[in-house]
């Protein structure tokens, strides 16, 4: 048992077996359809979310865990003598970070350290895994938080959205943009910059072209990629993810290229067949 327990929230999109095997504390965000609220990844799956969107024609609302959710999650480890480092979804995208800070203030000073990932999905997960390894090595909560903060600006998060439909439903593009994008087969590519989802460029044509561009962009940095871990994260695009994994394994020296599934909160903003390549750059 390590002295420091690492926590994340459900938007980190780490594989379930990793959460279990590394003993990571996981706090779910919420997904609400009408008067029904579900815990992300606990009460509702991504397949069920897409089925509900198809049935209702509208996207769910998503919400951060409350301060009391964090207090309830942190208390058992604090009482057992462990310090906590929690790595949150970007504060630019959610109130999750702020609510965790409120909760941390309810514990003795220094027992709960909250770090803003300024990222999403496995862009958070990469930081969490760095923290886990440091905790296993016996580092203090303060040292772990400083490590994560040094890694944070080096995380590259880039993903292709297959359709503008979810952006339209979420009010992030107009009906005309959605129509034209569908007719011309335009796929936006999103990057995370300064904690925000930022449109980077658009790829017109077949999906394969967009995936090739995604791979090309990653390989352009191959000499700067931290070789510990690369993630291919997707929402209902398993076959494409396996192919990208294979090519990354062939063309980089990465010790591990892992596939992970985007959870309900991330999927509700991006839609099915969204796929990304995420990694840490060397200092």
């Amino acid at each position: 048992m390590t002295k420091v327990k690492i926590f994340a929230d459900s938007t980190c999109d780490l594989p379930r077996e990793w959460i279990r095997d590394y003993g990571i504390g996981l706090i779910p965000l919420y997904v609400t359809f009408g008067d029904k609220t579900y815990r992300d990844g606990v009460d509702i799956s991504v397949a069920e979310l897409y089925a509900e969107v198809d049935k209702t024609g509208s996207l769910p609302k998503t919400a951060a865990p409350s301060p009391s959710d964090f207090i309830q999650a942190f208390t058992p480890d604090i009482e057992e003598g462990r310090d906590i480092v929690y790595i949150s979804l970007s504060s630019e995208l959610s109130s999750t970070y702020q609510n965790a800070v409120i909760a941390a203030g309810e514990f003795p000073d220094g027992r709960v350290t909250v770090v803003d990932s300024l990222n999403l999905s496995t862009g958070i997960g990469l930081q969490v895994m760095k923290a886990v390894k440091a905790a296993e090595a016996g580092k203090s909560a303060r040292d772990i938080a400083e490590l994560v903060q040094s890694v944070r600006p080096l995380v590259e998060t880039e993903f292709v959205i297959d359709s503008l439909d979810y952006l339209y439903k979420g009010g992030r593009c107009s009906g005309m943009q959605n129509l034209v994008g569908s007719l011309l087969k335009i796929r936006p590519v999103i990057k995370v910059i300064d904690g925000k989802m930022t449109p980077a460029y658009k790829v017109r044509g077949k999906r394969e072209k967009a995936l090739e561009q995604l791979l090309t962009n990653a390989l352009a940095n191959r000499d700067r990629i931290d070789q510990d871990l690369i993630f291919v994260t997707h929402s209902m695009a398993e076959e494409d993810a396996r192919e990208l994994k294979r090519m990354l394994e062939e063309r980089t020296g990465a010790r591990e290229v892992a596939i992970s599934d985007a959870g309900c909160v991330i999927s509700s903003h991006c839609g099915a067949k969204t796929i990304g390549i995420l990694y840490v750059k060397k200092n």
Side-chain angles (χ1 to χ4, degrees), residues 260-274:
S260 81
D261 298 299
C264 291
V265 168
I266 300 300
S267 294
S268 71
H269 291 287
C270 298
K273 294 190 177 180
T274 294

Side-chain angles (χ1 to χ4, degrees), residues 123-268:
I124 306 169
L126 287 159
Q127 297 176 55
V128 171
M129 294 311 300
K130 292 288 187 184
V132 165
K133 298 298 184 182
E136 289 179 342
K139 300 292 185 182
S140 69
R142 180 176 178 177
D143 287 345
I144 293 168
E146 289 177 354
L147 170 66
V148 172
Q149 288 165 346
S150 71
V151 168
R152 181 171 63 191
L154 302 174
V155 177
E156 285 288 315
T157 298
E158 183 172 323
F159 53 95
V160 176
I161 293 178
D162 192 63
S163 165
L164 295 176
D165 194 41
Y166 271 55
L167 296 180
Y168 168 61
K169 285 187 171 79
R172 291 183 291 276
C173 79
S174 69
M176 182 58 71
Q177 287 172 318
N178 186 32
L179 176 61
V180 172
S182 298
L183 290 173
L184 298 181
K185 297 183 178 177
I186 292 173
R187 292 176 173 84
V189 177
I190 306 296
K191 293 185 66 122
V192 174
I193 300 174
D194 297 330
K196 301 174 184 176
M197 291 174 61
T198 304
Y201 57 93
K202 297 174 183 176
V203 180
R204 179 176 170 180
K206 292 183 178 180
R207 177 174 171 80
E208 289 76 15
K209 183 179 177 183
L211 297 181
E212 285 174 12
Q213 188 62 57
L214 188 68
L215 179 65
T216 297
N217 291 351
L219 292 176
N221 279 328
R222 86 177 83 199
D223 294 335
R224 296 191 61 206
I225 294 176
D226 182 323
Q227 300 298 307
D228 283 346
L229 176 62
I230 299 173
F231 272 114
V232 178
T233 301
H234 70 96
S235 184
M236 310 293 278
E238 182 70 33
E239 187 174 339
D240 290 332
R242 286 197 299 268
E243 182 62 14
L244 284 177
K245 170 182 163 72
R246 182 187 67 78
M247 289 189 282
L248 287 165
E249 287 173 337
E250 287 179 356
R251 302 181 196 183
T252 71
R255 284 179 279 277
E256 183 165 15
V257 180
I259 293 174
S260 81
D261 298 299
C264 291
V265 168
I266 300 300
S267 294
S268 71

Side-chain angles (χ1 to χ4, degrees), residues 7-137:
F7 272 79
D9 55 66
S10 59
T11 64
C12 75
D13 291 344
L14 287 170
R16 287 181 180 272
E17 60 271 22
W18 291 29
I19 298 293
R20 180 193 66 227
D21 294 347
Y22 289 105
I24 300 165
L26 196 69
I27 300 168
L29 273 73
Y30 293 99
V31 176
T32 299
F33 283 100
D35 59 356
K36 293 184 179 179
T37 297
Y38 308 90
R39 291 170 294 172
D40 180 12
V42 178
D43 305 318
I44 186 170
S45 69
V46 171
E48 290 168 335
L49 179 139
Y50 285 140
E52 190 67 20
V53 172
D54 289 344
K55 185 173 82 173
T56 64
S58 60
L59 296 182
K61 295 180 180 178
T62 58
S66 67
S68 63
D69 289 333
F70 284 106
I71 291 169
Q72 185 176 357
F74 293 156
T75 296
D77 286 286
I78 295 296
E79 289 180 345
E80 290 177 15
R82 286 181 286 277
D83 292 337
I84 286 170
V85 174
Y86 164 63
I87 304 168
S88 80
L89 173 63
S90 174
S91 61
E92 296 287 345
L93 302 173
S94 169
S95 61
T96 300
Y97 169 78
Q98 288 84 354
N99 288 353
V101 170
I102 292 169
E106 297 300 311
F107 297 96
D109 189 43
R111 297 301 308 279
V112 177
T113 303
V114 180
V115 181
D116 184 353
S117 75
L118 289 176
N119 221 300
L120 52 76
S121 189
T122 45
I124 306 169
L126 287 159
Q127 297 176 55
V128 171
M129 294 311 300
K130 292 288 187 184
V132 165
K133 298 298 184 182
E136 289 179 342

